[in-house]
């Protein structure tokens, strides 16, 4: 198989064996932990910085302006300058706030997004943890993030924050259902929840093509619901700046605000990677039926590029949503979920089960 | 609620408490230093109490110490988005009191300038209204096109916002030689851009959901509260003074008074969108026919109005602007009262917003297009 | 005896569980208690992960950490104010609860000591979708349909009970109508 | 209706009114009769003054007064009602905010700046100035050495 030239599992195995040869198993595992941790931290920071920059440029492009263009070529160092500014900003402590919870909240949000990152396959063999219940794990872990938002809103002792937190709680709890159900549609099709296997099964065609109509519906619902779950426009009611000034993070400043900010972008990245992995074949190259030459050509593009490319396209879509639509109202948001997305989703699950039973999929 | 409370007592206190929120004076969607005191039940607004006066500068008191031409420069600072109309109101009032007739050329230019101001004001409103609803992109589109008008203003009047272009007896100076060309260019361009506005916001499903049936104001209430301008016309209150009490060159042009009867936020939105088209029609009818002549009458150095009361109504971008001058024959007025449209429009907000949600309140106050310096005076 | 990485992890998780369990019951601020409970649940999920019991760990995270704790916090947000604190626990109560927990600890540990744990030689069962799906929908041995239904009835009963308790009494509603 | 017809019609409704022909027909009315007249003007089918477009509070030196500009959206005739309060120190005029709702805010403004009390006003507080502001700035005898510079 040509694309096995990019198989990184041999590389990771080589690291593992060479470490174990040099030291006791305990220290070998420990070193691996540290390595993975450092790699993820670096990745997290780089992706976060890049996404903020990309958001600014895309937003500027939508709004007929230039965006950041002074710091560095094309303004690429703007986010780094911002980061430095945020690091030096004063951390404001609010009187009568619940200090412990106030300080813990940003960490909970950011840890939840870290945990989810662990299960995402970036390439063949390039995955921190390959659970056999990968999708379930990601959904489970991402549901913790909302607690950070709720705590942030409540512990700030500000009414705007509290309303923002309540909105966000209602929103995320509801939309988790749709995210889960739309992923279940694909789980039914794939017959597994292991992310690496799901990617592997899309070798001959991505699920969005092979899964007929239900997969397309599931993808659309996933996009809507996950945009809502990560609190991005047009579903950014939790921070709705024209109504609640900044919602749950009104009272945060400096690096703690930056944590929320970064977590939002990372959540966007995670959601986009899950969508890319589950619906668009993750790091799998695009293969079309029996076009051997085309398929071979595609195989030579490294999987990491495929993966990042797909993720970037979906992130671009999510950004376009934000900069195009007006914000929904809270009751409309819940109506959309409970009256439209959920019934459609349930029906979609049935439809997919039927198709799989009949063996109508490719 | 400091200290220790048994649980059941807590519950009963929570039930009794009003949940009160201060929206403003520093808040993104009050467009200035206005404060709404909201009582909420969940997200539903129980009542709204507007608190104003954060930039009360005592303009009415100041006018009692200065001369009539000087008042012009204070009226700019009322509703800065329709500065031209405010100037016009004072100028017309003084001219009526002195019973002088300004040259035709002045009337034409005043009308064109007023309509340009209206366009610029509506563009800014559209931009900010989209932003109130969370569509941030509209802000840049609106401001981009408003820039053309401000450039035209700058060229002729030397100022972009507070133009002070009208004065009793005519205009401060003549129009720039490029004025007509530039205005025509702008209109040609804006006629192309306006459909873009509609594509971006007017046709959006979320936008319809957010605005239709929200903030209802009946015609009777609109009249009783004195809600004028586009906000009143969205409720079917025919209050366009350009039509009913024509001044300047409005009797020479053919235009429609935009009326919508729904009385909701969407109707008020539609009125303004249609008014932009009508304003362009008016300008197009006048721009090629500006008569030759003087741009101002020769006025005495010190203007003294004969003793008496004078009132002038003018349609500004936000509604009926009125100037009430009481003169005792001196060079400064005895009392000047500005009837600011925003003040009356604001008074209706409580009855409009009750029972709707916070997000709707933002939409409603956005659709009233409040300019805070005008209502605070 | 050499300490393995797994042991260290276990001790960390166990310590987290112990410390935060105690904090949960002793904290006088209700939302802090809920947050500590969250940490306990997450640490428990961590132990499941260590045991390679990923499915249960994920269930623990979604249901307890992501579901129940969120609901608890949500209801706290709706009902309580930040300045509220519980009354300090009286001495009698402290002593009584200490005795009760000590008795429980003795009981549990005595059972544990008497039981002879046998290390299993079997390979850990790889829980894949097929096994989960089949055992969830099976009503035979090792099937979960029957217990699931029983639990759902229990939950229903609990929910009805909660509604009955939380509902305003009728006469109060009538009074309120009169006021309006 | 032109001013003459209005004059006849209104004098038939209420006696003891002083009519002046200015820019608009100006009617001076005693404070006791004012509320009744306003109500009749609003409710009369042929007059139906339903839209109050301006209220001006004036300090006449010896007395404080209020000018109400009202018009009819149906017939578009305009009159100005003038009321002068009986005393300067304790100036009181009946509120009309139950007839024209716009008066609620306008009367608060006049109370704030001129100190005319409106009887039966539901929420007569200062609107622009702070609650503890001393004096009424729009009165001619208002002195504020700190903020007003006399030249």
């Amino acid at each position: 198989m040509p694309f096995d030239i990019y198989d990184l599992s041999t590389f990771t195995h080589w690291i593992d064996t060479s470490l174990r040869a040099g030291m006791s198993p305990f220290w070998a595992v420990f070193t691996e932990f540290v390595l993975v941790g450092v790699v993820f931290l670096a990745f997290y920071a780089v992706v976060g910085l890049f996404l903020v920059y990309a958001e600014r440029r895309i937003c500027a492009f939508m709004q007929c302006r230039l965006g950041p263009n002074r710091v560095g070529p094309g303004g690429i160092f703007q986010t780094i300058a911002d980061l430095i500014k945020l690091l030096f900003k004063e951390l404001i402590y609010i009187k009568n706030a619940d200090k412990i919870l106030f300080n813990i909240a940003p960490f909970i949000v950011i840890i939840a997004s870290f945990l989810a990152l662990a299960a995402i396959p970036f390439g063949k063999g390039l995955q921190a943890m390959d659970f056999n219940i990968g999708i379930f794990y990601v959904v489970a872990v991402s549901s913790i993030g909302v607690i950070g938002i709720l705590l942030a809103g409540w512990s700030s002792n500000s009414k705007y924050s509290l309303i923002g937190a309540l909105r966000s709680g209602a929103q995320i709890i509801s939309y988790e259902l749709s995210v889960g159900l739309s992923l279940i549609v694909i789980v039914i099709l794939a017959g597994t929840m292991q992310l690496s296997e799901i990617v592997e099964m899309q070798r001959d065609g991505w699920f969005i093509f092979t899964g007929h109509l239900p997969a397309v519906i599931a993808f659309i619902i996933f996009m809507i619901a996950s945009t809502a779950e990560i609190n991005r426009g047009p579903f950014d009611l939790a921070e709705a700046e024209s109504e609640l000034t900044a919602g749950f993070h009104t009272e945060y400043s400096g690096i703690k605000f930056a944590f929320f900010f970064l977590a939002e972008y990372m959540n966007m990245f995670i959601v986009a990677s899950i969508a890319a992995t589950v619906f668009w074949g993750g790091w799998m190259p695009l293969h079309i039926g029996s076009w051997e030459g085309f398929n071979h050509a595609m195989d030579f593009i490294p999987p990491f590029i495929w993966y990042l490319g797909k993720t970037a396209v979906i992130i671009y879509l999510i950004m376009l949503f934000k900069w195009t639509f007006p914000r929904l109202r809270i009751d409309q948001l819940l109506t959309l979920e409970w009256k439209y997305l959920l019934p459609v989703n349930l029906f979609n699950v049935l439809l997919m089960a039927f198709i799989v039973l009949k063996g109508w999929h490719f | 609620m400091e200290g220790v409370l048994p649980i059941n007592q807590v519950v009963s206190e929570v039930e009794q408490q009003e949940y009160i929120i201060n929206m403003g004076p520093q808040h993104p969607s009050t467009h200035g230093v206005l404060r709404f005191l909201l009582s909420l039940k969940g997200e539903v607004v129980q009542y709204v109490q507007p608190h104003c006066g954060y930039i009360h500068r005592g303009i009415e008191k100041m006018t009692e110490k200065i001369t009539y031409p000087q008042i012009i420069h204070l009226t700019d600072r009322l509703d800065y988005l329709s500065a031209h109309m405010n100037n016009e109101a004072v100028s017309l009032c003084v001219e009526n009191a002195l019973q002088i007739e300004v040259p035709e050329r002045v009337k034409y230019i005043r009308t064109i300038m007023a309509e340009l101001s209206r366009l610029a004001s509506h563009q800014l409103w559209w931009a900010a209204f989209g932003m109130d609803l969370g569509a941030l992109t509209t802000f840049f589109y609106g401001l981009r096109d408003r820039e053309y008008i401000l450039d035209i203003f700058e060229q002729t009047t030397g100022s972009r916002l507070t133009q002070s272009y009208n004065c009793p007896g005519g205009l401060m100076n003549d129009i720039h030689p490029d004025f007509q060309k530039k205005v025509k260019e702008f209109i040609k361009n804006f006629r192309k851009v306006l459909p873009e506005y509609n594509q971006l916001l007017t046709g959006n499903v979320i936008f319809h959901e957010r605005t239709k049936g929200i903030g209802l104001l009946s015609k009777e209430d609109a009249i009783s509260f004195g809600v004028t301008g586009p906000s009143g016309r969205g409720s079917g209150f025919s209050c366009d003074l350009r039509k009913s009490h024509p001044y300047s060159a409005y009797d020479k042009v053919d235009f429609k008074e935009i009326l919508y009867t729904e009385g909701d936020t969407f109707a008020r939105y539609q009125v303004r969108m249609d008014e932009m088209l009508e304003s362009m029609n008016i300008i197009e009818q006048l721009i090629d026919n500006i008569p030759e002549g003087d741009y101002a009458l020769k006025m005495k150095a010190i203007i003294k109005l004969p003793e008496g009361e004078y009132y002038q109504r003018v349609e500004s971008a936000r509604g009926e602007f009125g100037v009430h001058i009481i003169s005792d024959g001196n060079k400064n007025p005895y009392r000047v009262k500005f009837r600011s449209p925003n003040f009356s429009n604001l008074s209706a907000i409580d009855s409009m917003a009750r029972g709707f949600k916070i997000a709707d309140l933002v939409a409603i106050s956005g659709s009233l297009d409040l300019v805070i310096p005008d209502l605070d005076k | 005896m050499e300490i393995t990485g797994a042991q260290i992890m276990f001790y960390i998780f166990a310590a987290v569980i112990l410390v935060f369990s105690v904090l949960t019951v002793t904290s006088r601020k209700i939302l802090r208690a809920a947050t500590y409970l969250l940490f306990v649940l997450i640490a428990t999920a961590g132990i499941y992960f260590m045991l390679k019991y990923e499915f249960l760990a994920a269930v623990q995270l979604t249901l307890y950490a992501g579901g129940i704790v969120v609901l608890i916090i949500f209801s706290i947000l709706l009902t309580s104010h930040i300045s509220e604190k519980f009354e300090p626990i009286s001495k009698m109560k402290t002593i009584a609860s200490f005795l009760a927990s000590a008795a429980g600890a003795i009981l549990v540990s005595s059972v544990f000591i008497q039981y002879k744990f046998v290390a299993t030689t079997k390979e850990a069962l790889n829980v894949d979708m097929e096994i989960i799906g089949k055992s969830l929908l099976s009503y035979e041995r090792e099937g979960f349909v029957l217990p699931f239904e029983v639990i759902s009835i229990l939950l229903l009963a609990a929910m009805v009970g909660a509604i009955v308790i939380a509902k305003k009494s009728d006469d109060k509603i009538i009074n309120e109508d009169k006021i309006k | 209706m032109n001013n003459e017809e209005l004059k006849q019609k209104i004098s038939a409704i209420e006696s003891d009114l002083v009519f002046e022909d200015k820019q608009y027909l100006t009617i001076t009315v005693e404070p006791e009769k004012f509320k009744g007249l306003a109500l009749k003007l609003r409710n009369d089918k042929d007059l139906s003054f339903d839209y109050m477009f301006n209220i001006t509070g004036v300090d006449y030196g010896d007395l404080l007064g209020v000018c109400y500009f009202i018009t009819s959206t149906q017939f578009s005739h305009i009159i100005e009602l003038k009321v002068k309060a009986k005393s300067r120190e304790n100036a009181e005029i009946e509120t009309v905010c139950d007839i024209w709702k716009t008066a609620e805010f306008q009367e608060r403004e006049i109370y704030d700046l001129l100190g005319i009390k409106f009887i039966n006003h539901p929420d007569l507080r200062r609107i622009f100035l702070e609650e503890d502001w001393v004096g009424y700035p729009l009165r001619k005898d208002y002195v504020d050495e700190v903020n007003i510079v006399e030249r």
Side-chain angles (χ1 to χ4, degrees):
Chain A
M1 280 292 174
F3 54 71
D4 286 345
I5 50 171
Y6 294 114
D7 190 349
L8 285 163
S9 47
T10 47
F11 173 65
T12 46
H13 273 296
W14 173 76
I15 293 178
D16 186 43
T17 44
S18 53
L19 276 176
R20 277 174 198 276
M23 48 184 98
S24 67
F26 171 71
W27 286 109
V29 171
F30 187 76
T31 321
E32 278 171 22
F33 278 2
V34 171
L35 265 179
V36 170
V38 168
V39 167
F40 267 107
L41 267 178
F43 182 74
Y44 201 91
V46 169
V47 168
L49 287 179
F50 175 74
L51 281 182
V52 175
Y53 174 71
E55 167 98 328
R56 291 186 165 187
R57 290 301 278 211
I58 288 169
C59 152
F61 162 71
M62 294 285 289
Q63 298 176 341
C64 329
R65 57 192 175 91
L66 287 174
N69 59 357
R70 296 294 166 92
V71 191
I76 51 170
F77 298 132
Q78 180 69 49
T79 42
I80 295 171
D82 275 344
L83 182 75
I84 294 168
K85 181 201 77 173
L86 281 171
L87 280 171
F88 281 111
K89 272 185 115 171
E90 188 190 354
L91 291 171
I92 295 168
Y93 291 97
I94 294 109
K95 211 177 155 189
N96 295 333
D98 195 328
K99 296 244 164 46
I100 295 180
L101 298 182
F102 187 74
N103 291 329
I104 281 177
F107 290 98
I108 292 182
V109 173
I110 213 159
I111 286 171
S113 64
F114 251 118
L115 287 173
L117 207 58
I120 288 166
F122 297 101
K124 194 172 172 64
L126 204 62
Q127 190 176 6
M129 290 193 280
D130 190 12
F131 295 121
N132 58 355
I133 43 118
I135 291 183
F136 189 29
Y137 168 79
V138 171
V139 171
V141 164
S142 60
S143 67
I144 294 175
V146 63
I147 293 174
I149 291 176
L150 288 173
L151 289 183
W154 194 80
S155 62
S156 310
N157 196 12
S158 148
K159 287 174 179 175
Y160 283 122
S161 303
L162 185 59
I163 293 178
L166 284 173
R167 279 182 177 189
S168 149
Q171 179 180 340
I172 293 180
I173 292 172
S174 325
Y175 276 86
E176 233 162 48
L177 276 174
S178 275
V179 170
L181 278 174
S182 55
L183 289 175
I184 279 183
V185 172
I186 296 303
V187 171
I188 292 172
L189 180 62
T192 176
M193 290 206 280
Q194 194 162 5
L195 281 164
S196 59
E197 253 181 70
I198 285 178
V199 175
E200 203 62 45
M201 288 180 78
Q202 302 182 61
R203 176 168 300 228
D204 299 323
W206 302 348
F207 278 153
I208 194 152
F209 300 131
T210 60
H212 289 297
L213 190 63
V216 178
I217 297 174
F219 176 67
I220 293 168
I221 290 178
F222 181 81
M223 287 305 289
I224 297 173
S226 56
T227 313
E229 215 195 325
I230 55 176
N231 273 334
R232 272 189 71 85
F235 306 104
D236 54 346
L237 293 119
E239 41 185 285
E241 73 288 320
S242 62
E243 299 147 30
L244 304 178
T245 58
F248 63 91
H249 59 64
T250 307
E251 310 290 347
Y252 281 87
S253 69
I255 194 69
K256 277 190 245 165
F257 163 73
F259 273 7
F260 281 116
F261 196 61
L262 195 60
E264 189 191 319
Y265 281 98
M266 280 321 285
N267 283 335
M268 182 163 69
F269 179 78
I270 288 160
V271 158
S273 8
I274 292 171
T277 308
V278 172
F279 294 98
W280 292 8
W283 42 265
M284 263 313 156
L286 177 64
H287 283 182
I288 300 175
S290 51
W291 296 12
E292 288 298 329
F294 177 79
N295 292 351
H296 268 287
M298 288 291 122
D299 285 342
F300 279 99
I301 301 171
F304 200 65
I305 303 286
W306 274 110
Y307 162 77
L308 279 185
K310 290 171 189 174
T311 312
V313 169
I314 290 171
I315 288 177
Y316 182 67
L317 269 179
I318 295 178
M319 285 181 178
L320 286 196
F321 291 161
K322 167 149 186 167
W323 299 111
T324 316
F325 296 127
R327 188 180 302 117
L328 275 88
R329 209 171 55 214
I330 182 74
D331 56 326
Q332 290 163 350
L333 183 90
L334 298 179
T335 310
L336 175 69
E337 161 65 17
W338 293 103
K339 287 197 181 156
Y340 299 99
L341 292 189
L342 195 64
V344 169
N345 228 331
L346 288 171
F347 175 74
N348 201 26
V349 169
L350 277 181
L351 193 64
M352 183 52 108
F354 188 69
I355 284 177
V356 170
L357 273 181
K358 286 277 177 186
W360 284 348
H361 60 94
F362 296 115
Chain B
M1 276 177 70
E2 201 62 47
V4 181
L5 281 171
I7 280 295
N8 49 3
Q9 197 183 329
V10 169
V11 171
S12 65
E13 278 204 23
V14 166
E15 274 174 11
Q16 285 161 10
Q17 266 176 358
E18 275 183 289
Y19 196 72
I20 292 199
I21 273 196
N22 273 310
M23 205 169 185
Q26 302 294 334
H27 191 279
S29 65
T30 51
H31 304 298
V33 280
L34 175 66
R35 175 156 73 105
F36 292 129
L37 196 126
L38 314 179
S39 168
L40 297 180
K41 196 166 192 178
E43 288 232 358
V44 180
V45 176
Q46 302 289 94
Y47 61 79
V48 189
Q49 257 185 31
H51 285 233
C52 27
Y54 286 92
I55 42 171
H56 176 66
R57 294 147 296 178
I59 283 182
E60 286 176 4
K61 182 77 177 173
M62 276 192 259
T63 55
E64 292 173 9
K65 301 279 174 195
I66 57 180
T67 61
Y68 292 101
Q70 285 173 323
I71 295 177
I72 297 288
H73 306 284
L74 286 180
T75 53
D76 283 341
R77 274 80 185 168
L78 283 168
D79 181 353
Y80 48 81
L81 288 177
S82 35
H84 196 88
M85 288 84 129
N86 298 356
N87 296 342
E88 197 175 359
V90 177
S91 307
L92 286 171
C93 196
V94 173
E95 283 154 16
N96 284 350
L98 296 170
Q99 288 177 334
I100 51 174
E101 182 83 2
V102 291
E104 285 292 290
R105 182 180 176 79
V106 174
K107 288 185 181 174
Y108 273 64
I109 295 172
R110 277 183 181 175
T111 312
I112 292 169
M113 283 302 217
E115 289 310 311
L116 282 176
S117 303
R118 196 183 313 279
L119 272 170
S121 168
H122 284 356
Q123 280 167 345
L124 185 69
W125 159 81
W126 182 81
F129 186 57
M131 209 170 64
D132 282 343
L133 294 176
L136 293 143
T137 305
T138 61
F139 192 72
F140 293 88
Y141 279 58
L143 287 191
R144 177 194 64 189
D145 300 323
R146 181 168 171 261
E147 207 66 8
Y148 289 100
I149 299 181
L150 295 191
D151 285 344
I152 294 170
F153 282 160
E154 191 181 8
Q155 211 175 30
T156 291
T157 70
S159 174
R160 291 164 74 82
L161 195 67
T162 51
Q163 293 111 10
S164 301
Y165 186 52
N166 292 322
C167 59
L171 306 167
M172 290 280 185
N173 44 15
D174 208 354
I175 49 172
H176 192 270
D178 284 348
F179 180 75
Q180 277 147 306
K181 199 183 95 205
K182 281 220 163 183
V183 170
K184 275 187 263 183
E185 244 171 52
F186 159 74
I187 288 187
K188 203 176 143 210
N189 174 47
F190 192 58
R191 278 201 191 276
K192 266 187 231 151
V193 176
L194 203 56
E196 215 174 88
Y197 283 25
N198 287 329
Q199 269 177 3
L200 187 59
L201 201 60
T202 320
N204 194 309
V205 188
I206 302 174
F207 179 73
H208 282 229
E209 288 287 318
R210 283 295 304 276
T211 50
K212 279 192 176 161
I214 302 298
L216 294 170
L217 182 71
S218 67
K219 188 182 173 185
E220 290 71 37
D221 271 356
I223 295 171
S224 181
F225 276 116
V227 177
T228 49
S231 313
R233 290 196 281 281
S235 301
F237 174 23
S238 163
C239 53
D240 197 337
L241 295 168
R242 297 175 292 173
K243 208 75 179 166
S244 56
H245 297 83
Y247 52 92
S248 292
Y250 284 112
D251 47 352
K252 297 185 184 63
V253 288
D254 175 39
F255 67 101
K256 285 202 298 279
E257 178 179 5
I258 314 292
L259 276 182
Y260 280 81
T261 48
E262 289 87 350
D264 57 2
T265 306
F266 191 65
R268 292 190 278 277
Y269 173 87
Q270 291 258 295
V271 170
R272 289 196 178 85
M273 294 308 271
D274 292 358
E275 256 183 25
M276 286 203 252
L277 278 172
E278 280 308 313
S279 290
M280 285 194 283
N281 285 342
I282 294 173
I283 296 172
E284 273 176 340
Q285 287 173 41
L286 295 174
I287 191 72
D288 284 327
N289 310 321
I290 301 176
E292 293 298 318
D294 283 338
Y295 62 83
L297 287 175
K298 259 265 184 269
M299 298 290 284
K300 280 189 208 135
I302 292 171
I303 301 174
K304 285 185 181 173
L305 294 198
E307 206 178 320
E309 285 184 43
Y310 310 97
Y311 193 87
Q312 178 64 43
R313 306 163 80 185
V314 157
E315 180 76 17
S316 91
R318 266 151 211 81
E320 178 178 337
F321 183 81
V323 184
H324 185 203
I325 298 180
I326 300 175
S327 167
D328 54 358
N330 276 329
K331 63 176 177 164
N332 0 314
Y334 183 76
R335 166 93 168 97
V336 175
K337 155 88 186 183
F338 297 113
R339 190 264 188 213
S340 56
N342 288 298
F343 194 59
S344 308
N345 290 4
L346 177 74
S347 64
I349 200 162
D350 182 34
S351 67
M352 285 159 88
R354 273 188 194 204
F356 291 103
K357 300 200 166 51
I358 313 180
D360 295 330
L361 174 71
V362 172
I364 292 165
S365 79
S367 75
L368 283 178
D369 193 11
L370 300 172
V371 167
I372 312 306
D374 187 33
L375 64 89
D376 275 355
K377 290 197 267 266
Chain C
M1 196 178 93
E2 203 200 359
I3 302 170
T4 62
Q7 272 174 329
I8 293 177
M9 290 302 285
F10 173 77
Y11 287 129
I12 292 174
F13 281 132
V16 168
I17 291 176
L18 282 178
V19 169
F20 282 108
S21 305
V22 172
L23 280 176
T24 306
V25 284
T26 51
S27 171
R28 281 174 58 203
K29 291 199 168 178
I30 187 161
L31 195 63
R32 281 192 193 173
T35 316
Y36 298 144
L37 180 65
L38 170 77
F39 293 146
V40 174
L41 294 171
I42 289 177
T44 319
I47 287 187
Y48 289 145
F49 271 119
M50 270 181 58
L51 296 172
K52 292 228 164 31
Y53 203 1
E54 283 117 359
F55 183 69
L56 191 62
V59 168
Q60 169 91 4
L61 280 181
T62 14
L63 275 190
Y64 289 97
I68 288 176
V69 171
V70 168
L71 284 181
I72 290 174
I73 291 179
F74 207 69
S75 46
I76 293 171
L77 295 199
L78 286 171
T79 52
S80 72
H81 191 260
I82 195 161
S83 58
E84 276 164 34
K85 272 185 185 175
F86 286 121
E87 292 171 58
I89 305 153
S90 66
K91 259 202 186 119
M92 276 304 292
K93 264 190 186 168
T94 319
I95 293 165
S97 46
F98 179 77
L99 286 177
S101 47
I106 290 165
L107 186 71
V108 170
S109 47
S110 64
V111 169
F112 266 83
I113 287 163
Q114 279 175 13
Y115 187 79
K116 289 228 165 14
F117 287 96
V118 186
T120 161
T121 48
K122 267 194 282 182
E123 190 67 6
L125 190 61
N126 193 12
V127 191
D128 62 4
M129 277 308 289
E130 212 178 317
I131 297 174
I132 295 168
K134 279 193 175 149
S135 40
L136 270 181
L137 285 180
S138 144
Y139 49 85
E140 285 160 16
R141 214 177 122 77
E142 296 183 349
F144 284 104
V145 166
L146 194 63
F148 183 77
E149 291 300 323
V150 172
I151 291 170
S152 65
I153 288 172
L154 182 72
L155 283 177
L156 184 70
M159 233 148 75
V160 171
I163 291 169
V164 169
I165 292 170
K167 208 174 70 174
K168 280 180 189 167
S169 56
D170 286 350
D171 52 317
K172 204 175 177 186
I173 294 169
I174 292 164
N175 281 343
E176 267 188 3
D177 284 346
K178 271 180 197 162
I179 293 163
K180 276 164 192 168
Chain D
M1 251 188 266
N2 61 25
N3 283 0
E4 267 319 301
E5 287 165 349
L6 274 176
K7 211 183 273 184
Q8 280 166 12
K9 178 87 186 160
I10 296 169
S11 49
I13 290 175
E14 190 75 61
S15 55
D16 294 340
L17 300 174
V18 184
F19 292 92
E20 284 170 280
D21 250 327
K22 294 192 181 170
Q23 188 183 1
Y24 308 123
L25 180 67
T26 308
I27 305 166
T28 312
V29 60
E30 294 296 308
E32 306 89 67
K33 288 187 178 169
F34 166 63
K35 182 68 181 275
L37 176 68
L39 207 61
K40 282 172 197 157
L41 289 175
R42 166 74 179 80
N43 292 336
D44 192 293
K45 275 220 171 68
D46 298 330
L47 297 170
S48 97
F49 284 101
D50 51 357
Y51 169 35
M52 169 177 283
F53 61 88
N54 186 30
I55 307 180
T56 311
V58 189
D59 180 2
Y60 289 107
D62 48 346
L63 286 175
L64 298 170
V66 182
C67 309
Y68 298 85
F69 291 79
I70 50 177
T71 179
S72 161
T73 50
Q74 205 178 337
F75 312 111
S76 66
H77 42 227
I78 303 174
I79 58 167
E80 181 187 339
L81 287 176
K82 259 190 190 177
V83 191
K84 284 186 186 173
K86 282 280 181 233
S87 82
R88 188 180 169 83
E89 278 64 49
N90 195 20
E92 283 186 334
I93 293 172
E94 192 102 6
T95 181
V96 286
C97 66
D98 46 346
I99 306 173
W100 298 283
K101 287 179 192 161
T102 182
E104 185 177 337
F105 268 43
Q106 308 271 3
E107 285 175 351
R108 274 179 71 187
E109 184 192 339
I110 293 168
Y111 166 73
D112 189 0
L113 301 176
L114 276 157
I116 300 173
K117 289 186 190 68
F118 290 90
I119 305 164
N120 295 335
H121 190 284
D123 184 25
L124 198 62
R125 289 176 292 128
R126 283 189 182 268
I127 192 163
F128 291 147
L129 306 177
E130 283 152 38
E131 292 287 331
D132 52 356
W133 191 276
V134 182
Y136 302 101
L138 271 185
R139 285 195 185 181
K140 291 286 174 187
D141 55 1
Y142 177 74
V143 193
D144 184 348
E145 275 139 9
V146 184
N147 296 315
I148 296 182
V149 183
E150 293 281 349
R151 261 179 248 165

